[in-house]
Amino acid sequence: MRDRLTLSTLGPLAALFALILLGAGLNENFLSAANVTNVLARSAFIGMIAVGMTFVITSGGLDLSVGSMAAFVAGMMILAMNALQPSLGVGLPLALAGIGVAILVGLLAGLANGLLITRAGIEPFIVTLGTMGIFRSLVTWIADGGTLSLDFSMREFIGPIYYGGILGVSWPIIAFAVVVVIGEVVMRHTRFGRYCEAIGSNDKVARYSAVKVERIQLLTYVALGLLVGFATVLYVPRLGSASGSTGLLWELEAIAAVIIGGTALKGGFGRVWGTVVGVLILSLIGNILNLANLVSPYLNGAIQGVIIVLAVVLQRRKSSAEGR
Amino acid sequence: MKRRQLFGATAALAVMAGLAGVAVAQDKTHVIGVSIPSATHGFMGGLNWHAQDTIARLEATYPQLDFVLATAGEPTKQVADIEDMVATRNIDALVVLPFESEPLTGPVKAVKDAGKFVTVVDRGLSVPGIEDLYVAGDNEAFGRVAGEYFKANLPSGAKIVVLRGIPTTLDNERVDAFEKAIDGSGIEVLDKQHGDWNRDKAFTVMQDYLSKYPKIDAVWAADDDMAIGAMAAIEQAGRKDEMWIVGGAGMKEIIKRIMDGDPQLPVNVTYPPAQISTAIELTALKYVSAAPVTGRFIIGSTLVTPENAAQFYFPDSPF
């Protein structure tokens, strides 16, 4: 089941190119550097999370909590930075402290999910449905139902993490690209990636083949938590705030991107670059609908829904025709 | 960080209500139930804060009043809350901000039919005449006041963009009133998309507006969370000097910047979350004074300017 350039792998790519052509035809600013940067940078959060989600889903798991987790991590990061500001002052140490807190909280949140699933043996759907509610309520509670805002001077200081860049390429895009390359290499060229696919295909056989199933699964959730942490590090500098509505429905967008990209929802086969295509497709739909007044804005959600279903249907039909 | 009372207050409320129900009920104590949506976004967060704040103050002022506060994340839960209040807490009055009009109309009518005093806040019920007292913000004025400011401060031919809220009747009323107010001024509305009263969504929509339109003179963000998202996008595009923004609802950060005379944020239009305080206070008055409190109380939407901003500034509120 290795990837070859068949129709089924080309499906999502074709859809992406069709969208790009459509966008370019509808608005001349679509391909401008500013718009391309906007779309790629805003894809970076969900994109990084979706790469982690690809591994979780490939190994037969699921994580519904990532959106709430991102909100919670963002809340903790802001809270920690505001609390440390009097002692550390505005500057690099405080920024690093905030980044450290975000990554640590993400890691621990992922670990909690992973341990509940692998050690306590509870269904991933149930565990992460539970933690989804827990993380979201915690951030609403911490924020007193309002919005947690980073101190203004500190926001100015860390703003460049989102808005800055090198050679005209902004940091979120670079970080996203690095995560994708690492993800693709791990999935295709390491034992870990192969174990994920083996467990997702048939965990019993994997276990009989001396694969440490629980440990691999735990690692996928920890890695996903870590990536949520990284994504939050990029997210917080953008607006410098977190609230109960931060990261709403990110989990579904990430899962949709993974599935559009050709990873099997029931596990056993993962495609990291496909996930990237999926994320870009979802971002572009929103972008194009904003740029061109094609339909009533009430119908934006419907258009996205149609394209998600269509992308998967095309893929499945082609792949079954090839006997996969 | 005041993460105050949440546990404390609810626990204390529960205990007090429990005690009150048994011991003091015969002692001319009046119980007022307050049912509101939970704090899912900035405005509701502010509303929750003001509700708790008002209840704490009224309970301290009037020992003969007891309050039961319940917050609900969806209409079904709110219906259950209200039924519980009537069945187990024996409330004398109900202050309710309906999550949605339709599903709450029946249950609130049942409370009224049981002889309780009913105060409805912000969103009306679908059948008129159930409530004794109606307290609400003025959505029509919210759009109109903003529109009048645009009309007075922009030349004919000026180009503006609009960020709308979550598609609802309320949002339609505001946008219709806004468009009516700028009618005939020659101001061109380039686009109006939904930002869902959400910072991230507004940021994205504003980024796309900026890619799409080379010239924008002003933005009606119609909500302060959206105004903050839009401002970040404008700053990123380096077009801060090109346009000003009018938000709405009176978030403390925005009011502060208006007080400080920020040229990017000339004015704001109020839609106060503290309207829940008005409703609770008026309902309480019925039991502690002879003042008549039935009828309709519509809270005006006022234009906040640098001159009067100080009176709309609540630094302790989360909103």
Side-chain angles (χ1 to χ4, degrees), chain B residues 231-244:
Chain B
M231 277 192 296
I234 294 167
E235 190 175 342
Q236 180 201 19
R239 290 167 69 175
K240 247 174 123 170
D241 298 328
E242 180 184 325
M243 64 197 86
W244 43 260

Side-chain angles (χ1 to χ4, degrees), chain B residues 120-150:
Chain B
V120 172
V121 190
D122 196 32
R123 285 166 220 173
L125 299 171
S126 24
V127 178
I130 295 174
E131 68 271 4
D132 297 286
L133 171 63
Y134 178 66
V135 176
D138 190 345
N139 286 305
E140 195 271 331
F142 182 89
R144 177 170 44 77
V145 170
E148 283 164 356
Y149 182 83
F150 276 72

Side-chain angles (χ1 to χ4, degrees), chain B residues 37 88 91 95 150 182 191 200 239 262 294:
Chain B
T88 64
I91 52 171
V95 178
F150 276 72
I182 60 168
D191 216 329
D200 289 309
R239 290 167 69 175
D262 190 328
T294 50

Side-chain angles (χ1 to χ4, degrees), chain A residues 29 144 235 241 287 291, chain B residues 4 199-200 207-208 211-212:
Chain A
N29 290 326
D144 229 358
Y235 169 81
S241 64
N287 183 241
L291 285 180
Chain B
R4 70 200 126 219
R199 287 186 191 193
D200 289 309
Q207 271 190 334
D208 291 343
S211 306
K212 192 172 171 185

Side-chain angles (χ1 to χ4, degrees), chain B residues 168-206:
Chain B
T168 44
T169 328
L170 183 157
D171 184 62
N172 291 343
E173 281 175 15
R174 291 175 174 184
V175 174
D176 289 347
F178 177 84
E179 290 185 322
K180 221 171 115 195
I182 60 168
D183 194 34
S185 64
I187 296 172
E188 185 189 349
V189 178
L190 293 170
D191 216 329
K192 36 178 189 173
Q193 300 272 349
H194 293 275
D196 295 351
W197 294 316
N198 175 301
R199 287 186 191 193
D200 289 309
K201 184 83 194 294
F203 177 83
T204 309
V205 173
M206 192 67 214

Side-chain angles (χ1 to χ4, degrees), chain A residues 37 41 44 48 158-178 234:
Chain A
T37 300
M48 291 166 78
I158 62 167
I161 298 179
Y162 182 83
Y163 296 106
I166 189 164
L167 298 175
V169 186
S170 74
W171 291 120
I173 302 175
I174 296 170
F176 182 27
V178 169
L234 296 172

Side-chain angles (χ1 to χ4, degrees), chain B residues 253-264:
Chain B
E253 286 86 0
I254 301 278
I255 299 292
K256 182 79 179 52
R257 288 176 69 165
I258 293 174
M259 274 163 78
D260 298 343
D262 190 328
Q264 214 188 346

